[in-house]
Amino acid sequence: MQFGIFSVGDVTPDPTTGRTPTEAERIKAMVAIALKAEEVGLDVFATGEHHNPPFVPSSPTTMLGYIAARTERIVLSTATTLITTNDPVKIAEDYAMLQHLADGRVDLMMGRGNTGPVYPWFGKDIRDGIDLALENYALLRRLWREDVVDWEGRFRTPLQSFTATPRPLDGVPPFVWHGSIRSPEIAEQAAYYGDGFFHNNIFWPISHTKRMVQLYRQRFAHYGHGSPEQAIVGLGGQAFMRPNSQDAVAEFRPYFDVAPVYGHGPSLEDFSITTPLTVGSPQQVIERYAGMREEVGHYQRQLFLVDHAGLPLHTVLEQLEILGGEVVPVLRREMAADRPAFVPDAPTHRSLKAAADDGGDLIGATPQGHGSEARREHAHHRGRVGWHGHPLLHRGAGRPAGAGRAQGAGGPRRQRGDRIRRAARSGARPDRQPADRLRR
């Protein structure tokens, strides 16, 4: 199992001193945190992507490329790659380039973003968020897997005989996680492709996380990628630790109270009950997160948020020492002790290349469907949506008006599939929570 950290890169005043770091200080602090994460034995460092204050990581591949040159082992990822407002062509080329620079130590997490004004800044409409996520990712997959692409869709100019460069390292695209807090459509998308599903549950009760993960697992199996237990799941989390739990609470409370994402809302005590935030001793964190598998099943990746809300760099580095030295070694042992052999590890470039060399594509493959129902459904949708075969992007029979004539270039107008409506009505979408403003 992989353990790591993610950063949203907020520039927030330290409430105990009143000092606000400069953007340069915050960017360099993120680099120092990534280097420390590798030093203490963590597996993953992930950065967010934001294009609005008070956040600085607007160019994840620039930062991750720099970190790649200064690290040797840690996997470099994103806490969000905005599949909605970024051009899929640019994503394909940027992350393939990063793959080569990092010797394959790269994966990424697709997300829609939770800041409404960002959409028009990039010429998009937030009301098209799901549509953009589905169409853009379908194109991105083709750009990584096909040397020459002809394509036409709803949201960007057509492509004719286009080749994205560089090609993915060893012919193996980066592994993709689909991150979501509340959208069953994204869990369905991850399941359809056999990709990973990351539920960033830092604002939500475990009951909601359980429902979302269960939906993904069931649909992963439906599309023929394996059993529900073999689905690739990641979770978010947060912790602040001191040897004495009372000291941890007293030290963290000022930062919690003014945090840009949840400050001035629920109390620290209430938030710690209803979300995975754990402020206390290392043992309390171990017990809380070891219990996650009892709710969602055995999973592959756990990322912690440790550097937000104005926490000074020296404090964050101390937290990483505790996380890497006291917490993660115990969690590794406990989670491995009862992990069934058939539950896969998190995919890496090495494991994906080995699968490809063996003639297989067990993770992230187009669904084959072990059951006849899944095969029939997939074949049915491929016949209706020949440009990429994604059942989420079409409703109604026949080729829509305006579909392209070139092979692989059909351009259906994306509408929510009836199947996605059924998934949403099935109970996967919970009632709105107090943190509903924190949508992704």
Side-chain angles (χ1 to χ4, degrees):
M1 182 170 173
Q2 293 178 336
F3 293 90
I5 58 172
F6 70 98
S7 175
V8 296
D10 58 311
V11 180
T12 304
D14 183 333
T16 66
T17 65
R19 185 181 184 279
T20 302
T22 66
E23 290 182 328
E25 289 172 334
R26 187 65 174 100
I27 291 169
K28 291 179 180 179
M30 291 177 68
V31 173
I33 290 165
L35 301 183
K36 188 69 172 181
E38 177 167 272
E39 177 188 323
V40 300
L42 300 185
D43 305 307
V44 183
F45 171 81
T47 175
E49 178 187 345
H50 297 277
H51 299 276
N52 57 290
F55 305 99
V56 293
S58 58
S59 181
T61 53
T62 304
M63 172 170 285
L64 294 178
Y66 181 73
I67 294 171
R70 301 187 60 185
T71 55
E72 297 179 355
R73 182 190 54 79
I74 197 164
V75 173
L76 304 174
S77 188
T78 58
T80 302
T81 294
L82 296 177
I83 190 62
T84 48
T85 52
N86 282 312
D87 183 354
V89 172
K90 198 69 170 70
I91 295 176
E93 296 186 331
D94 283 353
Y95 284 90
M97 176 70 79
L98 181 59
Q99 259 196 321
H100 287 273
L101 292 173
D103 296 324
R105 294 184 290 122
V106 174
D107 59 35
L108 63 163
M109 187 192 307
M110 299 299 172
R112 290 187 291 133
N114 59 13
T115 307
V118 171
Y119 282 76
W121 294 342
F122 289 86
K124 307 299 181 183
D125 187 330
I126 194 172
R127 292 171 294 185
D128 294 326
I130 291 289
D131 302 35
L132 284 160
L134 299 178
E135 181 177 297
N136 285 352
Y137 183 60
L139 173 56
L140 175 62
R141 282 181 63 90
R142 291 191 58 195
L143 292 167
W144 275 336
R145 287 166 172 80
E146 301 175 27
D147 289 339
V148 180
V149 173
D150 294 303
W151 183 89
E152 182 178 341
R154 178 181 171 192
F155 295 111
R156 80 173 314 281
T157 54
L159 298 174
Q160 295 181 353
S161 300
F162 179 79
T163 299
T165 59
R167 305 304 297 145
L169 178 65
D170 300 319
V172 177
F175 184 72
V176 170
W177 304 79
H178 297 263
S180 181
I181 293 175
R182 63 182 185 89
S183 299
E185 297 93 337
I186 301 304
E188 179 81 18
Q189 181 188 34
Y192 176 80
Y193 287 117
D195 294 337
F197 178 65
F198 189 93
H199 192 263
N200 195 8
N201 57 326
I202 59 175
F203 304 117
W204 292 79
I206 192 63
S207 58
H208 166 70
T209 300
K210 183 176 180 178
R211 286 195 295 271
M212 290 288 286
V213 172
Q214 284 179 339
L215 170 64
Y216 162 68
R217 289 188 185 277
Q218 292 164 1
R219 300 304 288 173
F220 180 95
H222 170 79
Y223 287 120
H225 298 294
S227 68
E229 295 79 12
Q230 292 174 310
I232 308 300
V233 175
L235 298 181
Q238 341 179 45
F240 187 87
M241 299 164 284
R242 291 301 182 200
N244 182 293
S245 60
Q246 289 83 4
D247 292 340
V249 171
E251 184 175 351
F252 187 69
R253 187 182 300 278
Y255 297 95
F256 175 89
D257 288 344
V258 300
V261 291
Y262 46 53
H264 311 288
S267 69
L268 173 58
E269 287 74 16
D270 288 343
F271 201 80
S272 298
I273 292 172
T274 58
T275 78
L277 172 64
T278 306
V279 181
S281 68
Q283 185 59 37
Q284 288 175 302
V285 174
I286 291 168
E287 293 173 359
R288 186 82 177 273
Y289 283 88
M292 291 292 176
R293 69 191 190 280
E294 298 174 6
E295 302 290 342
V296 303
H298 288 276
Y299 60 109
Q300 284 73 24
R301 176 174 286 186
Q302 175 67 60
L303 300 184
F304 292 92
L305 176 64
V306 297
D307 72 329
H308 64 308
L311 286 165
L313 177 59
H314 68 85
T315 299
V316 175
L317 298 181
E318 291 171 354
Q319 292 297 302
L320 290 175
E321 289 279 5
I322 300 171
L323 186 65
E326 301 181 43
V327 173
V328 166
V330 178
L331 286 176
R332 286 194 200 278
R333 290 195 299 272
E334 291 198 9
M335 292 189 171
D338 62 350
R339 188 182 187 91
F342 60 80
V343 174
D345 293 328
T348 63
H349 181 78
R350 178 178 295 179
S351 67
L352 294 174
K353 183 178 183 300
D357 290 344
D358 289 340
D361 187 9
L362 303 181
I363 299 296
T366 301
Q368 300 301 313
H370 293 319
S372 59
E373 179 185 352
R375 286 196 297 271
R376 284 196 300 270
E377 178 177 355
H378 180 57
H380 172 62
H381 284 293
R382 283 195 62 83
R384 291 162 54 186
V385 195
W387 65 299
H388 50 56
H390 197 305
L392 312 191
L393 305 189
H394 182 62
R395 181 182 63 191
R399 175 180 291 197
R405 292 186 297 274
Q407 181 179 1
R413 291 178 60 85
R414 212 289 320 170
Q415 301 182 37
R416 287 191 181 181
D418 292 335
R419 185 165 52 73
I420 296 306
R421 290 187 178 84
R422 291 197 297 272
R425 287 198 299 267
S426 70
R429 186 189 296 276
D431 295 335
R432 296 291 183 258
Q433 300 293 324
D436 191 47
R437 70 187 188 277
L438 304 166
R439 295 176 176 177
R440 177 165 300 175

